[in-house]
């Protein structure tokens, strides 16, 4: 930081400006990704509430679209307050994110394959929620976003609740609704936190 005189505010250096831009871009990317995946989970939940011609699935999907659109608007609006702090990313953070996301994707395919092979398709959303939740633990460090630890913990709780419902013999549609809406709410809450608080 440099200053032209004792009375003028400091002017950010190029490095500071780049850091602020990176923080803003990561924040916006997080808002978009979290809210869109929240939408996908809500649509999955809606599929458990009835046929495509019923009112309930349509109402859930419309509400999910509005919640997602509002989150993205808040995250990308020009008048958004700057993040209260700039991120302090570890070395090779982008490579680490790529590895974590690749492992997550492989684990999701493994969950789907294993669940279908065992004749237990109702376990698929529960297993995916667990994988997604766990992958946020390393992302919290790689993105320097402590909030993602809460995202990880809450998604893991949703997954555990789903496993309890499966073990209790609850209908697969009910499991899909609980896990889908639970995961959507967690991801939307994280998205709105990023959009409003940084």
């Amino acid at each position: 930081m440099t200053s032209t005189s004792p009375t003028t505010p400091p002017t950010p250096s190029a490095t500071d400006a780049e850091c602020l831009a990176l923080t803003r871009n990561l924040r916006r990317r997080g808002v978009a990704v979290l809210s869109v995946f929240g939408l996908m989970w809500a649509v999955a939940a809606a599929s458990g509430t009835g046929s495509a011609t019923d009112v309930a699935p349509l109402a859930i999907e419309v509400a999910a679209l509005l919640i997602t659109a509002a989150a993205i608007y808040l995250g990308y609006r020009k008048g958004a307050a700057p993040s209260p702090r700039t991120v302090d990313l570890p070395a090779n953070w982008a490579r680490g994110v790529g590895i974590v996301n690749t492992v997550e994707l492989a684990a999701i395919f493994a969950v789907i394959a294993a669940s279908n092979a065992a004749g237990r398709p109702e376990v698929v959303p529960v297993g995916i929620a667990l994988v997604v939740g766990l992958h946020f633990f390393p992302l919290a460090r790689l993105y320097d976003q402590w909030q993602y630890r809460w995202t990880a913990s809450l998604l893991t709780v949703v997954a555990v609740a789903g496993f309890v419902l499966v073990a209790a013999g609850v209908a697969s549609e009910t499991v899909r609704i609980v896990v889908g809406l639970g995961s959507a709410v967690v991801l939307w809450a994280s998205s709105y936190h990023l959009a409003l608080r940084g």
Side-chain angles (χ1 to χ4, degrees):
M1 302 283 271
T2 59
S3 176
T4 55
S5 75
T7 58
T8 58
T11 304
S13 66
T15 302
D16 291 333
E18 289 169 0
C19 191
L20 288 170
L22 177 61
T23 299
R24 183 176 63 251
N25 289 337
L26 288 176
R27 172 182 174 181
R28 287 177 170 172
R29 185 187 311 167
V31 168
V33 170
L34 290 166
S35 59
V36 168
F37 276 100
L39 171 64
M40 292 171 62
W41 276 108
V43 170
S47 71
T49 61
S51 68
T53 58
D54 291 340
V55 174
L58 180 60
I60 292 172
E61 290 166 359
V62 169
L65 279 170
L66 293 174
I67 293 168
T68 301
I72 292 173
Y73 167 76
L74 290 171
Y76 281 80
R77 72 194 190 283
K78 289 184 178 179
S83 295
R85 65 179 183 84
T86 55
V87 292
D88 183 15
L89 302 173
N92 299 317
W93 67 273
R95 180 174 179 273
V97 169
I99 291 171
V100 169
N101 288 336
T102 300
V103 170
E104 177 205 23
L105 190 59
I108 287 172
F109 281 119
V111 163
I112 294 170
S115 299
N116 288 332
R120 301 297 302 270
E122 70 276 13
V123 177
V124 170
V126 180
I128 292 175
L130 180 62
V131 169
V132 173
L134 293 176
H135 106 292
F136 273 101
F137 282 112
L139 289 186
R141 180 183 61 82
L142 291 168
Y143 280 127
D144 188 29
Q145 291 286 353
W146 64 266
Q147 306 96 317
Y148 290 166
R149 293 198 299 267
W150 285 106
T151 307
S153 299
L154 292 173
L155 282 174
T156 302
V157 168
V158 169
V160 169
F163 279 118
V164 169
L165 294 177
V166 169
V170 173
S172 60
E173 292 82 5
T174 302
V175 173
R176 195 158 64 245
I177 292 167
V178 170
V179 173
L181 288 182
S183 297
V185 168
V186 171
L187 292 171
W188 281 330
S190 301
S191 177
Y192 274 86
H193 188 278
L194 278 180
L196 297 173
R197 300 285 300 275

